[in-house]
Amino acid sequence: GQNIDQPTEMTATEGAIVQINCTYQTSGFNGLFWYQQHAGEAPTFLSYNVLDGLEEKGRFSSFLSRSKGYSYLLLKELQMKDSASYLCAVTDSNYQLIWGAGTKLIIKP
Amino acid sequence: DAMVIQNPRYQVTQFGKPVTLSCSQTLNHNVMYWYQQKSSQAPKLLFHYYDKDFNNEADTPDNFQSRRPNTSFCFLDIRSPGLGDAAMYLCATSKGQHTDTQYFGPGTRLTVL
């Protein structure tokens, strides 16, 4: 079966750095997305990785290793507004988007 | 600003009473999706349209139907809502299929009494 694993919940301190991991087992791979979802709101696009390596976008970076079936989202200089769920999603060989259940990130002052 | 709009944001219906949720987009995207998302769970794809071509997920109950009368609008009809259908319903669009980024509307939270 197809599976995306993310930690259920993480806690970090304002101003710090946090890394949210995602591992996947899918039938093929055609790209990996990270979305941010605030409570009661829709997911918003953060990043897309299809090649190995690190993609940096301001305070957020996303890394991909296809051989390991692994990605992480790195958030720097954490702000209270970063409190949200972060969803990892993978496009498989049939171009189906497989979603993880998300990691709830709690930021403390 | 180009966007995906969903109405209403909150919908309350009674058990068994049909309900329609609407989605519109100004992005002129070819693909529109409907997802169901329950608390702390991944979004679950119900179906999607590529232009007028309808694609139903195998495990989507017959209770859920959809219409796309034109490029801009897409509707989700729940014919006989059950208590288990209470969820957030998310509409998303993408320019093409495959690896194109999906852009989401704000969602409609459905409560079934």
Side-chain angles (χ1 to χ4, degrees), chain A residues 4 18 23 31 33-35 41 46 50 53 59 64 67 72 75-76 81-82 84 90-92 97 99-100 102 107-108:
Chain A
I4 306 247
V18 71
T23 57
F33 293 87
W34 282 97
Y35 280 83
E41 298 181 12
L46 287 178
V50 66
R59 292 190 299 115
L64 175 67
S67 62
Y72 67 73
L75 290 76
K76 303 176 184 176
K81 67 178 182 179
D82 298 330
V90 172
T91 305
D92 69 9
L97 191 59
W99 290 85
I107 310 296
K108 295 187 174 180

Side-chain angles (χ1 to χ4, degrees), chain A residues 13-67:
Chain A
T13 304
E14 189 177 16
I17 299 173
V18 71
Q19 177 175 311
I20 302 174
N21 295 325
C22 169
T23 57
Y24 60 90
Q25 299 88 37
T26 57
S27 55
F29 177 86
N30 278 301
L32 184 145
F33 293 87
W34 282 97
Y35 280 83
Q36 180 191 59
Q37 187 175 25
H38 285 101
E41 298 181 12
T44 55
F45 170 75
L46 287 178
S47 67
Y48 173 67
N49 293 70
V50 66
L51 299 176
D52 290 348
L54 188 68
E55 295 276 344
E56 296 187 75
K57 193 184 291 186
R59 292 190 299 115
F60 293 7
S61 302
S62 57
F63 172 83
L64 175 67
S65 169
R66 289 172 295 171
S67 62

Side-chain angles (χ1 to χ4, degrees), chain A residues 8 30-31 33 35 37 39-45 47-48 50 87 91 94-97 99-102 104, chain B residues 6 9-10 35 37 40-45 48 57 88 90 97-107 109:
Chain A
T8 303
N30 278 301
F33 293 87
Y35 280 83
Q37 187 175 25
E41 298 181 12
T44 55
F45 170 75
S47 67
Y48 173 67
V50 66
L87 294 96
T91 305
N94 293 319
Y95 298 102
Q96 299 290 319
L97 191 59
W99 290 85
K104 183 178 181 180
Chain B
Q6 289 187 247
R9 293 293 308 277
Y10 300 90
Y35 287 90
Q37 187 180 28
S40 301
Q41 295 184 19
K44 179 181 182 299
L45 182 65
H48 75 276
E57 294 300 301
M88 175 76 90
L90 297 166
Q97 290 185 110
H98 305 315
T99 58
D100 282 359
T101 300
Q102 295 184 22
Y103 296 92
F104 285 82
R109 180 161 296 283

Side-chain angles (χ1 to χ4, degrees), chain B residues 2-72:
Chain B
M3 56 176 49
V4 183
I5 302 161
Q6 289 187 247
N7 285 304
R9 293 293 308 277
Y10 300 90
Q11 176 73 57
V12 180
T13 191
Q14 292 180 336
F15 183 93
K17 183 175 181 180
V19 66
T20 295
L21 310 181
S22 72
C23 177
S24 63
Q25 54 126 344
T26 60
L27 298 161
N28 203 32
H29 281 174
N30 293 312
V31 192
M32 296 186 78
Y33 307 81
W34 279 106
Y35 287 90
Q36 179 194 66
Q37 187 180 28
K38 297 186 177 181
S39 181
S40 301
Q41 295 184 19
K44 179 181 182 299
L45 182 65
L46 297 173
F47 24 59
H48 75 276
Y49 278 91
Y50 187 96
D51 287 336
K52 294 183 179 179
D53 292 335
F54 178 70
N55 297 272
N56 196 32
E57 294 300 301
D59 58 353
T60 298
D62 292 341
N63 195 28
F64 292 87
Q65 303 285 317
S66 185
R67 296 168 283 137
R68 189 179 186 187
N70 53 52
T71 300
S72 302

